[in-house]
Amino acid sequence: MKFKTLCRTYSKVEKISGKIEMVEILSETLCNANADEIGKIALLTLGKIYPNYVGIELMLAESMTIKALSITTGKSTSNIKQILEQKGDLGSITYKLLSKKTQTTLSSFTGETEYAPEILEVWSFFDKLAKLTGEGSSNKKINLLAGMLSRVSAIEAKYIVRIVSSKLRLGIATQLLLEALALAKTGNRDNKDILEKAYNRCSDIEYVAETLYKGGIEKVKEIDIRVFSPVKVMLAQRLSSSEEILEKFGEKCAVEYKYDGIRAQIHVKDNIVKIFSRNNENITYQFPDVQNEIIKAAKKQNFIVEGEIVAYDEKNNKILPFQSISRRKRKHDIEEKAQEIPVRVFLFDVLFANNCSTLNKLYLERRKLLKELVNETETIRFSHQTIVSSVDELETFFNSALEDNCEGIMVKSINQDSIYQAGARGWLWVKYKADYVDKLSDSFDLVIIGADYGKGKRTGKYGTFLLACFDTEEGNFKTFTRVATGFSDKDLDFFYQKLSNIKLNNKPKEVVSEIECSVWFEPKIVIEVTGAEITISQLHTCARGWLKGLNDGLALRFPRFTGRIVEDKNPEDATTVNEIVTIFLNQKGES
Ligand code: ATP
């Protein structure tokens, strides 16, 4: 398939906001793709050239793309920057500038005639660009990009520029793409669920799409866990009293400390260790000490285990708060930081062992397997765990978790259905945190989607931020609160810098808001916020139409930024409308 065909589809999709129509338009094009190209099409449609966990990213600095565009069009870089200030989207600017020139003029830059590359050719071009490193690589990248832009048509150039800048912004998330793939290949969009389950086991959209096109939906069902491909993590629901918890789980359940650190999925094969974060990014480089320790602790090879990495005060033998471990998130002086901030890993699950997936094994079997795979060492431990059958026992365990500097407990089913549900937030795991008991509302992980400029001390910076939750049903973001408290001066400087890179001129199409903002942002950055209570709101769009007899939405009252930027969550992993409705009903004592 020609890249141009895909670009025309992107252009159509970009103009509409209805999910059903978007899926239909995309699937019409996907129908015509062949099995060798569908994987790459899937990646490009999400603005990627490799799955996240591979760690190869394209993203060219804006200044480099502007230079390339300047070479291609003959316009000065300052001129392009000026237009960019007004228009805000380099892709559309590229389209405008290149549409003005006739192809003959364009070709005169390179002496070549226009060519319409195949999708695989364009992917290889991106791959080459991403892999250019070392001395002089910036100039080589600029020239390579300029060469490509000179040869292709305006519409292709527009999307090439957007992809190299990591700003494709079609409003197509993974869920929507899976639905379009299901419709294209099987004629039934409901088969999306099968694709999603497979995707949750391998986090590799390219592999899922290729398998579908090569072997059909039956082959997709067979996609299994592979060591070194991260599995989507299992998540927990929340409850706010021991009584409710025991009622939910029946007679008995397992309880574990809930450590407040970084979730780590640790893959081991032939003494090679890879560690993946909650959102499937490869974070191995941050933990050279954990790599060594896990090798020492391993009794077998070829396995995947999961645990929480926390910072540890070795002198006083105690777990340190999340802020300490977050200082290990850096690219430089890793060894030095590893010495300065020692860690402990508390393992709590196993996903793959003895050459097969253990997802369908029951919780107690998995716990037993964990102990057959790994020895406990100074650094590698098993999460503190016991079985309880009464409110008293549960409360005692909860209190000891708080005394040991944990944020609460995880309650886990030990029943016949207690499998590992990759990618799901079900009732087999329930979190019970100190915050809930204090009658404070739980914290929410929300996406910054807009801001207004501050006044007084905050002049020249953003003073108030509009925050959104994620609507899994519709695949978009709904506004939930506006927050202005809890930010230090340093935070405000930081957010000003960070958000300026993802500033938009208009509200992004994946955001549903009735509130106007001075500035809009791409929904990318997730922050943690607490609040007093959830109230009914005429202004916010979260849960609008969800509650019987109510047309209003829900909002968080007295929000406060906790100081935590949730780096291991993608925007789609933010607190969902569903969760907010559940908390709201619990708050009101309704079920
Ligand atoms: P939170 O913000 O409350 O940590 P979350 O949305 O990141 O929640 P949840 O599924 O709601 O994820 O809470 C579970 C998280 O708690 C896990 O992602 C994991 O990082 C952490 N955790 C700490 N100890 C355990 C444990 N013993 N078992 C499972 N998860 C644990």
Side-chain angles (χ1 to χ4, degrees):
M1 185 186 288
K2 297 281 183 203
F3 183 60
K4 201 184 238 175
T5 309
L6 194 58
C7 294
R8 288 196 183 116
T9 306
Y10 289 168
S11 184
K12 278 190 212 158
V13 167
E14 211 181 304
K15 292 186 190 106
I16 46 175
S17 52
K19 186 182 137 195
I20 296 179
E21 210 186 330
M22 278 163 84
V23 168
E24 270 161 18
I25 291 175
L26 186 60
S27 79
E28 272 169 33
T29 304
L30 298 183
C31 268
N32 300 320
N34 67 44
D36 293 329
E37 58 195 9
I38 190 67
K40 306 290 187 238
I41 293 177
L43 285 168
L44 292 179
T45 304
L46 296 177
K48 299 180 191 307
I49 51 166
Y50 286 102
N52 274 358
Y53 67 85
V54 176
I56 301 178
E57 279 189 42
L58 191 51
M59 192 145 162
L60 249 64
E62 194 174 79
S63 57
M64 286 164 73
T65 314
I66 290 176
K67 274 191 193 155
L69 197 54
S70 161
I71 297 173
T72 313
T73 59
K75 283 230 179 259
S76 70
T77 51
S78 54
N79 193 203
I80 298 175
K81 274 186 201 152
Q82 226 175 15
I83 313 176
L84 185 61
E85 280 284 302
Q86 297 153 11
K87 300 262 182 258
D89 169 31
L90 211 46
S92 307
I93 295 171
T94 304
Y95 182 76
K96 271 226 166 90
L97 291 177
L98 295 193
S99 308
K100 279 188 192 150
K101 296 195 172 274
T102 62
Q103 195 53 51
T104 345
T105 339
L106 273 177
S107 305
S108 66
F109 285 94
T110 58
E112 290 174 46
T113 50
E114 185 200 8
Y115 92 120
E118 291 288 316
I119 283 164
L120 290 180
E121 277 176 272
V122 177
W123 183 88
S124 300
F125 159 77
F126 288 140
D127 186 44
K128 192 167 166 192
L129 212 54
K131 287 180 179 159
L132 271 175
T133 50
E135 214 181 306
S137 61
S138 294
N139 276 338
K140 282 187 200 152
K141 284 186 186 191
I142 293 169
N143 289 330
L144 204 63
L145 179 58
M148 184 58 133
L149 297 181
S150 305
R151 295 169 73 200
V152 295
S153 65
I155 190 165
E156 289 163 301
K158 170 180 171 175
Y159 290 103
I160 287 174
V161 161
R162 284 208 183 154
I163 292 172
V164 298
S165 329
S166 284
K167 289 188 173 164
L168 187 57
R169 294 193 3 235
L170 299 175
I172 298 178
T174 311
Q175 302 295 324
L176 199 146
L177 175 61
L178 289 171
E179 198 168 321
L181 282 165
L183 186 61
K185 197 62 194 170
T186 71
N188 179 1
R189 54 172 87 213
D190 292 346
N191 281 329
K192 177 213 153 201
D193 292 349
I194 297 171
L195 297 188
E196 189 181 346
K197 282 199 177 118
Y199 176 70
N200 286 343
R201 292 191 292 267
C202 67
S203 307
D204 188 341
I205 193 81
E206 181 182 9
Y207 184 55
V208 173
E210 266 176 22
T211 308
L212 175 69
Y213 274 54
K214 286 185 178 153
I217 200 77
E218 289 308 312
K219 277 277 171 234
V220 173
K221 286 183 191 163
E222 289 169 21
I223 290 182
D224 208 350
I225 294 191
R226 299 173 294 173
V227 178
F228 299 149
S229 288
V231 179
K232 284 256 171 207
V233 295
M234 175 164 175
L235 298 167
Q237 289 285 357
R238 56 187 109 193
L239 285 174
S240 51
S241 78
S242 308
E243 288 78 10
E244 276 177 289
I245 292 172
L246 276 172
E247 198 177 312
K248 189 93 197 164
F249 282 94
E251 279 175 7
K252 275 185 184 171
C253 51
V255 281
E256 295 183 22
Y257 278 10
K258 185 176 195 307
Y259 303 92
D260 194 10
I262 294 175
R263 185 162 187 168
Q265 198 175 90
I266 306 174
H267 294 227
V268 181
K269 191 175 183 181
D270 302 331
N271 281 331
I272 297 170
V273 178
K274 289 192 185 175
I275 307 173
F276 298 99
S277 68
R278 185 191 188 290
N279 58 348
N280 298 154
E281 273 172 20
N282 191 331
I283 52 168
T284 318
Y285 67 93
Q286 286 175 22
F287 300 105
D289 42 351
V290 174
Q291 286 178 65
N292 292 335
E293 290 297 326
I294 202 87
I295 299 274
K296 279 193 225 155
K299 289 198 248 184
K300 292 186 179 177
Q301 285 288 319
N302 210 7
F303 62 82
I304 306 175
V305 289
E306 235 181 18
E308 192 86 352
I309 307 180
V310 292
Y312 200 75
D313 175 350
E314 294 190 322
K315 217 164 116 207
N316 299 305
N317 255 329
K318 62 174 199 202
I319 292 170
L320 293 170
F322 175 78
Q323 284 71 13
S324 310
I325 189 72
S326 66
R327 290 172 47 222
R328 289 282 291 267
K329 286 188 182 173
R330 43 164 47 226
K331 292 234 150 74
H332 306 289
D333 308 323
I334 303 280
E335 296 285 350
E336 208 179 283
K337 276 283 159 212
Q339 295 273 327
E340 200 186 302
I341 312 161
V343 298
R344 294 288 179 269
V345 186
F346 290 96
L347 298 177
F348 53 76
D349 220 316
V350 50
L351 282 60
F352 189 90
N354 303 324
N355 284 323
C356 56
S357 160
T358 56
L359 298 192
N360 287 331
K361 291 197 182 295
L362 304 186
Y363 168 81
L364 289 175
E365 285 178 65
R366 299 204 305 280
R367 226 17 235 200
K368 193 164 157 257
L369 252 179
L370 188 58
K371 295 184 178 167
E372 289 167 18
L373 289 176
V374 183
N375 283 314
E376 265 196 310
T377 65
E378 186 76 6
T379 308
I380 310 292
R381 315 265 180 96
F382 300 123
S383 63
H384 190 38
Q385 183 250 31
T386 192
I387 307 288
V388 295
S389 53
S390 71
V391 168
D392 267 2
E393 283 171 353
L394 198 142
E395 285 290 316
T396 309
F397 190 81
F398 179 71
N399 289 332
S400 69
L402 300 191
E403 266 165 36
D404 288 339
N405 284 356
C406 290
E407 58 172 350
I409 57 173
M410 296 292 292
V411 188
K412 299 184 178 179
S413 165
I414 52 172
N415 297 335
Q416 287 309 305
D417 58 355
S418 58
I419 57 167
Y420 186 101
Q421 295 175 311
R425 193 184 286 281
W427 285 102
L428 294 176
W429 288 9
V430 165
K431 54 182 171 180
Y432 177 40
K433 292 206 236 176
D435 299 354
Y436 312 162
V437 182
D438 291 345
K439 288 285 176 239
L440 285 174
S441 170
D442 188 15
S443 60
F444 300 86
D445 295 332
L446 302 172
V447 189
I448 306 182
I449 52 162
D452 288 318
Y453 289 100
K455 293 193 185 119
K457 250 176 73 186
R458 294 185 173 186
T459 306
K461 298 175 203 167
Y462 303 127
T464 310
F465 300 88
L466 180 61
L467 304 180
C469 53
F470 187 60
D471 187 330
T472 34
E473 311 280 308
E474 291 181 16
N476 54 21
F477 297 90
K478 302 278 173 60
T479 69
F480 180 47
T481 196
R482 277 156 45 97
V483 62
T485 21
F487 298 91
S488 65
D489 288 348
K490 222 170 122 199
D491 289 335
L492 291 175
D493 286 339
F494 171 83
F495 280 115
Y496 190 74
Q497 287 292 327
K498 188 139 181 129
L499 291 165
S500 295
N501 293 329
I502 52 168
K503 209 161 113 181
L504 300 171
N505 281 13
N506 298 307
K507 183 170 63 133
K509 76 183 228 203
E510 59 271 44
V511 163
V512 183
S513 170
E514 282 178 11
I515 297 171
E516 279 304 321
C517 283
S518 313
V519 205
W520 294 100
F521 305 113
E522 284 176 52
K524 273 205 169 146
I525 298 174
V526 183
I527 61 170
E528 188 185 67
V529 172
T530 55
E533 61 172 333
I534 300 173
T535 50
I536 290 169
S537 154
Q538 293 186 338
L539 213 57
H540 287 282
T541 50
C542 164
R544 182 165 292 176
W546 279 52
L547 302 170
K548 243 194 234 161
L550 257 186
N551 234 347
D552 296 336
L554 294 176
L556 182 63
R557 229 171 126 224
F558 302 133
R560 163 175 280 275
F561 173 51
T562 64
R564 187 163 172 173
I565 300 167
V566 191
E567 283 170 273
D568 60 358
K569 279 193 182 176
N570 296 323
E572 292 80 15
D573 299 326
T575 305
T576 61
V577 175
N578 230 318
E579 287 175 82
I580 291 171
V581 171
T582 312
I583 301 170
F584 174 71
L585 294 176
N586 274 342
Q587 195 182 274
K588 284 170 56 97
E590 290 171 23
S591 58

